[in-house]
Each structure stands twice: as structure tokens, then as C-alpha cells.
Amino acid sequence: MIYKNVRFSFFLPVFLLFTVLSANSAPATLEQLRQWASHREWTRDLSDEELLKLSKAEFECFVISHTHWDKEWRFSIEQHNLRLVKLIDNTIDMLEKDPEFTRFVLDGQSSLIKDYLDTRPEMRERVENLVKTDRLLVGPLYTQTDFLVSSGEEIVRNLLLGIQTARDVGKSMMYGYTADNFGFCAQMPQIYQGFGIPYASMYRGTEPGAPEYKSVFEWEALDGTTVHVGNLTGPSAYLMFTWPYDVPELAEHYLMKSLHYIIPYAVNDKLLLMAGSDATEPNPDLPKVLERLHDEFPGLTFHIASHKEFVDAVLADNPDIPTLKGTLRHSAHSCTGAISGRLKLKRENAEAYTTIEHFAEPYSALAWMMCGRRYPHTSFEKAWAFLFENLSHDDMAGYCFDQAHEHNHVRYFESNRIAETLAIRGTKTIVEKIKTPDKYDFLHKPIVVFNSLAWDRTDAVEFWMPDQEFGIDPSLRSLEYKNFQVTDLEGNNLPTHVIAPGKSGHSQMFRIRFLAKDIPSFGYKTFLVNAVEDEANYDVHKDDVREIENEFLKIKFNDNGTFDLTDKESGIAYPGLHYFEDQTSRGGILTCSFNGEPSTSLEQRAEIELVEDNPMGKTVRVSLPDWLIPSNRKDGEMVPMPITSYITLITGVKRVDIYTEAENNASFHFLRAAFPVAVDVKTFMAGEQFGAQALPVYDHKNPPGGPWGHEVYPHLDWCDLTDGKIGLALFDRGTPNISVYPCEGGTRMLLPMFRSAGSPGADIRHSLPYPRFSTEDRSEGAQQFGTQRVYYSLYPHEGDWLSSQLFKHSLNKHSRLWPATLWKNDRAKWQAGPYGFEPYYQPPEGDLPPTQSLMDVTGSEGLVLSAFKKAEESDAIVVRFFNSTPNEGHFKISFFEPALDVKSVNMLEEEAENTTPINWKLTDSKQTEVEFDLRGFGIITLRMAVKAPEIGHWRQTVY
């Protein structure tokens, strides 16, 4: 919100000093025009000829009366809600009393009406009357989300919950209005159309003055889907036609400003005038003021209207409009620093949406379908709502005051705990139904590993196992069993590593890691944890080891902490990886500018130590304890920035996993990890919501401009540097920005660790007397002092990103295998009685096979499972996929459960026109097969009706 720090200046009492117009309105004279124009710097320098031209302009003006609502910003969410109640109370009164005031837009986010009715439930009937008659326009989003940081599924669910919430009070505005969001991901047109929303409006994202900067344009997604967009043109966009309501005489000044800036971009004789601003109530005098303005500017007609009415009117004339494609986030308006501010919040968001999307929803849906466990719709709604509250653009940007962001962390914690608990509940419920060896044979404890991705996988699994005091058979102690070994059901040993009690900080728990091989596509596999007499293979600490390797990769560490990576399969070497670059970065959260020359860790001497060497892999700790950087507080002052990284190779996995801790003691700087690759390329690939796209390498000598005018680019999950022959992919989730530059001998990727920035603008607490309220205190949270933690991985490959199937390898990293087993303390001690009842609880034997694929995908490469959940309104499973490649593909889904019916539906989970055609059948083995063709980067949603299971009670378990 570049203009947030200045826009309230419009409301200063100085306006009262300007001319009060005659009560008898008439066409404006040149003297009046000059007087109005001289009021503001935007128009005071116009010539008489230009002023007369404005006064004679002939346009149909669609006036959008609206409020833009920040759920929290410089106040907490509860403080804002107090203002919200007053705003909606007054809006309801005004709309009911004045039929001439035909529309009011409640900022395109329906959570506002929920917040209001939570406080004022007695107003529901009056709200519903206004919503049903299109007087009060609500939805379609739940909150005004940050589209560049949210996952694709987060955006879909935001719209789904937003439309449902609006329908609860009558109907939803099916128009993608976003007043102040900081850029837009490339697939938004396809997502909008997936909900039956053909139109959108936006402010930030487009490039002012560019040839395609018009009042209406067509926006094309990666798959070719388009929507029409009403562009909020002009320097102040959603508040262009807004004046202090107590001074209606100023309307002429702001009309002239609007005409001056908006007319050059109009595609025909229709204009969009935005009458509203942040937290503003509707102007009750607006209908009368518009009548007066029509008298003074006879060529203009005015309607209080909706965004849809404006775009419909423009398109009815079939004008020539430009087409924009892909990501929209031009640096002039899009606050390009937002994607790199307060990265801890963004990483917590990634952890939360990953837990819901990949674990909680799928396993809860399977537990309902396979075992009759009630699907917890309301719990999921709460978990998602916590995320959506945090995804409001100011929150996710890190642009609120610090106490609001403390609340963000609490919401993420609560959302994650809900999702984690539901995932545990779902998997344990399924484990009860699996026929395994004795579930309480603690010498051979069964453990089931779940795979939520739609392809077979092999990867590391880690879990905690209680020791004797938590109920393991006493024979473990009497027979002197000291260790554990994991095997498959055929008795084959798997690479296993055990950290015994007392070595991990959990004195009563064993930490066990093993290589789970060949877990079936969207399925599970049962293993055995066997007690053995061998001593546990505890970790080692050696400072004289400089090389580690596994079956696929070899790493050699250099004195400065960088490492040379060799792909043993291809013989390709990647030298000098993983150094750090730090650069002064002045400005606040929303801006990101670099000052001076960067410093790097290349001249440092690292401490290198092997800290783990066991059957599961090797880990080296690389420390840079002595790096000094400018404090950026006092001239010449230097402060330490110690950095420690753990570089791991897992047995049987082709991937380098890295965990880094950096201790920040400086202000206003940007720390990034660098990965140079010996490829000379002009573009690189970046994964994003429901797809991927080629982005330009940022060359400071010849910057690319447009959406890539700022060198810190948005991305999601992965990026890849390749020349089609060799390549290096970087996997990270929760760091939604990347920089790629040319360098000597090739090209380098820079992954942010953190950015220190200034806190939000002017401090409103200066209007308060001492002692100040604690809620008005400011601190330096945006500077990100203290320990910053980042997880990321590297994947070397031959060929390009498509042939290397990077979408699979990236998701293998981000969506871990999920282990589940049953312990005696899973029973409901608190309901069933004292601990003495434990021996009498036995889980059922079960009838499901010990290993099973629940869904398999065949055909073209590239299909990714995005959602697996129970339908909102019926006994059905909703499954969403997207084609992660630019090529059209033919796919077949084999689902283990016999469906009663399968439909291709929209993202509202409803039958609709223009959904992807499918064919489905039941096989002789009673599996469901669904076939379809899906365009490149296309999204498909399937609704599979199944026989409703008999709901069980689960009174004997706490999970």
C-alpha cells in the first residue's frame, strides 16, 4: 500500500478553506474549472484549453461506492472490528433509507459480514434483505489474500469459503474484486473461471502508462483461460473519486482529478470511478452530489453501480482491448518488497497449508470412507479460516504493527495443531483397520507409512517410540534388547538409525529414522520395528571429514564452507555451491531496494564437522562464526552474523537437504544463499500455483522490466537452472521469492534467508497521551533480529525441467512420508478409567491389506494431486488434479473404491458448463477408473459419489 501513508491527507480540514459552490448548479464556467483545478497539484497546471476539454467530456460514469477493509494493520483485528460494526450499522441504515443509493461493495471479502454478524447477530435479517436484492455486495473471497504467497489450494479454498459465507446471507458477488493486493499469480484467470467468475478488478499488478494499461483488458492464465479485468487506473486507483464526506463541495476537485488521469486509458465512453477508501463508510450525500456534478458537467452521466455493470457495459460495445498474460506484479504499484518481508510468517504459512492439504484432509477423508469416522468439516473450516485471516495482504506482507503479527503466529500455531491432530487421527483410524502382525507385539512393532502423493516413493521416515516407562514390554529390559531395526514384512532389513533415550532431549523416547522403500501411490505400506540386542548406532562428531556421499551424490567441502557437488550418475560436477551474500537493503516492508556492494562469505574460514554417519545417511555441520557485517545503525559499526548449516545426504535418496540457522544482529539488510551453476541462460523455470513458467534472468545491465522489473521474483516450491543438458534445481517451500543473475562462468540462484526492513509507516501512537496503550507500542519486528531458520534442498539433473520431472522431486521433498502406529496410551484413559485398565485395551485386528495403493495415475507425465477431501454438501470425495506441464496429456485415474457416480465439477464442487469432459467406469475388480484429456497447466476437479459408510464412535481412543 504505497499510498497508505499519505492518503489520509485528503481529509485534512484545510479543505474547508476552498470555495463553496453556488446552490443553483449550472454548467461549469472556466473560472470555476480553474478554481477547482488549482485546489490539487494533480490538475492545477492544466491549461484553459485542457480544462474546457475536461468539462465537455462525454462519458458514462460507473461510480463504485465501496470500502477497502484491512482486517488488521495499524490496529489489532479486534480494534478494527469495533470500527467495522459501526461502518456496517451505518451502511445498513443508509441503504434502507435511500433507494437512490443502489449499491455498496463490501471490499470483495465476505469475512467482513461474518465478523459483523458474530457481534451483531440480531442484524442478520436486515443484512440478508440487502444482500439478496444486490444492494450490499459481499464476496467472493473470504479475505483479500496475498496471491503471490498463497498456495494454489489456499486461493481456491479462500474463494470457496468466501462464496459459501456470502451465500449464507443471501448470495455472493461473483466478481473477483481486489482493491489493494500486491500482485497476482499467473493462474488466477483459470481459478476465477473455475468458480464461474468471468470478471475481475485490480489496482496493483499492471504497468501504468504501458500500451496495455487500459480501463479494461483481457487476462490470460498459463493454460489459456481468460477473464476480463476492470483496471483501477490512476495514481490512487480505488480512492480516485473520494473526498472528505463532510465537505461535499470538494467533489468537483476530485472529479477533475479522476477525469484527468482516467480518460487517457478508457477503451470507450465508459469510466470507472472508485468512491471509497480504507475503512470509509458510504457517503450518504453521494446521489445528490452526482446530480449536481451532472448539471455542472452535462456530458457526463453517473450511476452508482457494481464492477460487473461497468465491465458488461464496456464489453457491450465490443471495444479493442489488450491481452495481458501470466503474472501481474509491476514494480510501480505492486509493492515488490512484500514477498520478502517477515519470511518467518511465510514459512509458517507453508507449513500450515502443507499439513492441511497433504495430510489432514486426505487421511480424514479416507478415514470417513474406509472406516466410517465422521469427517470434521467444521474443524477444517476453522483451520482454513485461521490461515485466511493471516493471508490478508497486509498481514502476509508483514506490514502490520508487531502485535498483530504476534497474533499471526498464534493463528498459524492453532491451524497447524488442528491439522496435525486430524492427520494423526485419520491415519491411526486407518491403521486400526489394517491387518498387521500383533499391534502390541513390542518386539516386532508394526508401523504403517502413508504416501499422500499419486506416485510410488522411497524416502526417509522419522518417528518417536516410547521406551519401557511408556509401556514397552518388560522383556525388552530383561532380555537386554538395546536397539531397534526396521524391516519390511518379508524380513528384509532397511537402513535404520536410532537415537536412544537421553541422546535427543526426550529422555523417555527413542528417535528412529529409516528408509521407507516403495510406498505405493497414494497408499500405505506396513513395516516392522524389531527389538534387537545390538548397541544403538549413535551419532558421531568428527572434524577431519571433508567428503560425504551416498549412492547418487558426492559432496566435497571447501575451507570457506562452500561445497562441490558431483552427480555420480552423470559425472556432472557443480563446484562452489552454497555461499552467503549479504547486502544493505534500505526501506520498509513493502519496498526492497539494494544499497552499495554486497559482501559474501567466500573469504571466511569455516568450521566443518561430520555430525552424523549412520546407515540412514551422513550430515556435515558447516559454521561461519566470525563473519562481520555492517550494523546499519552507526557508521562503521560492524556486528557478527554467525551462520550454521547442516548438509545431509540420505541413504537411497538423490537430494541434498540443507538446514541453516543465521543469527541476525543487524538492521536493514538482506541475506541470501547463493548457488552458481555453469550454464549460460537467459531464462530459468520457477514452479508456482498450479504450474510453472519461464522467468527472465535478471541482468542489471539490461533489466527485463514489466512484471520482472524488480530483481526479487515470486515463485513457489522450486526453481531450476538448466540449459537442457545439465541443471540444478532448488527446492524450498515457504520462501516465496528468488533472484537469479548472470555470473562469471554461468548463472546463479540466490535464495533469501531473511530480509531486515523498517516497520510500517507513521506511528499513530503520537496522538495518544502518556502512558500509551500497549496495543499502540511499536518495536522492530520487521528487522527480524535473532535466529532465522530455513530448510531447502538441491537436486542435480540431466536434461530440462520437464524430462527431469522436477514437480515430482519437489513434492517428494515438501510432502513427507507420514508414519503411524498404535500405542497403549492411544486409548481413552480419561474416559475409560485409571491407568490400571491399560492391559485390557486391544486394537482391532482389521481387514485391510498391509500394503495398498488407494489411487494410481497412469498416462502422460505431469499430473499432480492438489486436493483429496470429502465434498462440502454430499457423500462424495472431491479430488483435484493439475497438469504441471505445458503439454496436453491423457490421464487415467484408478481409485480403489467403487464409485456410485463420477462428475467433472467446478471449484464450487457443483456441476457446471465448460468443465473438462471425462469417461469413467467400474472395473471387474470393482475399482473406479476415470479417463480425461487435460490441457497444459489445466486444472480438473472430480466429484466421486460413494456409498455412505456407517459412522462409528471410537469411544476407546483419544485420537
Side-chain angles (χ1 to χ4, degrees), residues 70-80 342 345 348 386-387 389-412 759-760 764 774-779 781-782:
D70 298 308
K71 290 175 72 70
E72 52 195 352
W73 176 33
R74 292 183 179 176
F75 297 105
S76 72
I77 190 169
E78 295 302 331
Q79 288 174 299
H80 275 264
R342 295 191 196 250
L345 283 175
E348 288 177 346
F386 278 134
L387 297 193
E389 299 282 0
N390 282 354
L391 285 170
S392 295
H393 56 293
D394 284 328
D395 292 75
M396 186 44 57
Y399 193 55
C400 301
F401 78 128
D402 287 346
Q403 285 82 354
H405 290 305
E406 290 172 7
H407 199 181
N408 292 150
H409 294 303
V410 173
R411 289 193 202 110
Y412 280 133
S759 292
I764 57 172
S774 61
T775 54
E776 307 305 331
D777 283 342
R778 298 295 187 273
S779 63

Side-chain angles (χ1 to χ4, degrees), residues 167-458:
R167 286 177 173 181
D168 285 344
V169 293
K171 65 169 66 172
S172 174
M173 177 177 74
M174 300 302 283
Y175 188 99
Y177 169 55
T178 51
D180 200 24
N181 300 61
F182 305 138
F184 302 86
C185 63
Q187 287 283 55
M188 278 310 302
Q190 186 178 182
I191 296 172
Y192 278 139
Q193 288 285 15
F195 283 92
I197 298 173
Y199 301 144
S201 281
M202 66 178 60
Y203 159 34
R204 308 187 189 278
T206 53
E207 179 180 2
E212 65 273 13
Y213 187 72
K214 299 297 182 182
S215 59
V216 173
F217 63 85
E218 187 178 56
W219 184 18
E220 183 178 317
L222 297 179
D223 74 317
T225 302
T226 62
V227 294
H228 288 101
V229 178
N231 195 14
L232 308 186
T233 56
S236 50
Y238 65 88
L239 47 86
M240 280 293 291
F241 189 49
T242 305
W243 60 91
Y245 296 163
D246 290 339
V247 193
E249 298 80 8
L250 287 176
E252 286 79 0
H253 302 287
Y254 285 87
L255 175 62
M256 293 187 65
K257 178 196 78 168
S258 298
L259 296 176
H260 173 58
Y261 278 108
I262 292 176
I263 286 176
Y265 308 115
V267 297
N268 57 12
D269 63 346
K270 309 293 191 294
L271 295 182
L272 181 68
L273 299 179
M274 299 297 294
S277 183
D278 287 44
T280 53
E281 300 179 12
N283 183 348
D285 295 324
L286 184 61
K288 294 180 181 178
V289 170
L290 295 181
E291 287 183 17
R292 186 182 79 224
L293 293 176
H294 174 62
D295 293 338
E296 295 164 344
F297 296 81
L300 302 180
T301 59
F302 298 88
H303 315 284
I304 299 177
S306 68
H307 293 277
K308 183 179 184 299
E309 288 170 321
F310 166 69
V311 177
D312 277 339
V314 171
L315 296 179
D317 295 339
N318 196 27
D320 183 21
I321 61 175
T323 298
L324 281 71
K325 298 183 179 182
T327 303
L328 300 180
R329 44 88 72 178
H330 191 270
S331 57
H333 278 167
S334 293
C335 303
T336 49
I339 57 174
S340 58
R342 295 191 196 250
L343 286 176
K344 183 178 180 182
L345 283 175
K346 297 167 173 61
R347 289 168 181 139
E348 288 177 346
N349 175 58
E351 180 186 6
Y353 73 67
T354 297
T355 307
I356 298 177
E357 295 173 19
H358 292 267
F359 308 122
E361 284 188 337
Y363 301 141
S364 295
L366 291 171
W368 167 75
M369 185 172 52
M370 299 166 68
C371 310
R373 183 140 202 171
R374 185 186 65 82
Y375 188 83
H377 276 297
T378 52
S379 297
F380 278 120
E381 183 176 309
K382 181 181 289 187
W384 280 116
F386 278 134
L387 297 193
F388 301 151
E389 299 282 0
N390 282 354
L391 285 170
S392 295
H393 56 293
D394 284 328
D395 292 75
M396 186 44 57
Y399 193 55
C400 301
F401 78 128
D402 287 346
Q403 285 82 354
H405 290 305
E406 290 172 7
H407 199 181
N408 292 150
H409 294 303
V410 173
R411 289 193 202 110
Y412 280 133
F413 177 86
E414 295 295 353
S415 178
N416 223 345
R417 296 294 78 76
I418 292 172
E420 188 179 73
T421 301
L422 293 178
I424 292 171
R425 172 182 292 178
T427 53
K428 284 183 177 290
T429 300
I430 297 168
V431 169
E432 281 199 348
K433 293 280 286 183
I434 297 174
K435 185 176 180 62
T436 69
D438 185 354
K439 293 182 172 70
Y440 277 157
D441 179 359
F442 285 99
L443 298 182
H444 311 284
K445 180 70 175 175
I447 182 167
V448 181
V449 176
F450 289 84
N451 171 20
S452 63
L453 301 180
W455 51 78
D456 295 354
R457 297 173 61 191
T458 294

Side-chain angles (χ1 to χ4, degrees), residues 35-68:
Q35 197 169 42
W36 295 333
S38 64
H39 169 56
R40 302 301 297 176
E41 65 274 12
W42 300 304
T43 51
R44 64 167 60 111
D45 294 329
L46 297 180
S47 66
D48 290 350
E49 181 182 0
E50 291 170 318
L51 291 174
L52 290 171
K53 186 177 179 179
L54 285 181
S55 71
K56 296 176 181 179
E58 296 185 354
F59 285 91
E60 185 177 4
C61 299
F62 292 78
V63 180
I64 309 297
S65 179
H66 74 99
T67 190
H68 171 56

Side-chain angles (χ1 to χ4, degrees), residues 104 212 214 252 398 500 615 625 695 745 852 882 896:
F104 186 73
E212 65 273 13
K214 299 297 182 182
E252 286 79 0
L695 308 182
Q852 186 178 17
F882 69 94
F896 81 109

Side-chain angles (χ1 to χ4, degrees), residues 604-742:
Q604 299 296 307
R605 186 167 184 85
E607 297 176 358
I608 302 171
E609 183 180 17
L610 181 70
V611 295
E612 187 171 291
D613 184 1
N614 56 67
M616 267 307 295
K618 299 175 175 64
T619 297
V620 168
R621 180 170 57 209
V622 178
S623 301
L624 299 169
D626 302 321
W627 193 12
L628 298 177
I629 63 170
S631 71
N632 293 317
R633 289 187 290 267
K634 297 179 181 179
D635 288 343
E637 182 182 47
M638 305 294 286
V639 294
M641 185 170 62
I643 300 176
T644 302
S645 295
Y646 295 82
I647 294 91
T648 298
L649 292 180
I650 299 172
T651 299
V653 177
K654 186 179 180 180
R655 192 177 66 227
V656 182
D657 289 340
I658 306 173
Y659 165 63
T660 293
E661 292 183 349
E663 189 71 24
N664 180 36
N665 299 301
S667 304
F668 294 105
H669 66 122
F670 202 170
L671 178 68
R672 297 180 284 181
F675 305 91
V677 184
V679 294
D680 185 9
V681 293
K682 300 300 181 185
T683 62
F684 69 101
M685 288 302 301
E688 63 169 61
Q689 295 85 346
F690 297 122
Q693 61 178 326
L695 308 182
V697 172
Y698 193 94
D699 187 349
H700 287 93
K701 297 178 181 178
N702 186 25
W708 317 112
H710 192 278
E711 59 203 270
V712 181
Y713 295 164
H715 88 301
L716 205 70
D717 286 355
W718 64 269
C719 62
D720 184 48
L721 271 179
T722 180
D723 60 4
K725 298 178 182 179
I726 69 169
L728 182 68
L730 173 63
F731 302 151
D732 71 280
R733 176 167 278 190
T735 307
N737 53 105
I738 193 76
S739 298
V740 180
Y741 307 102

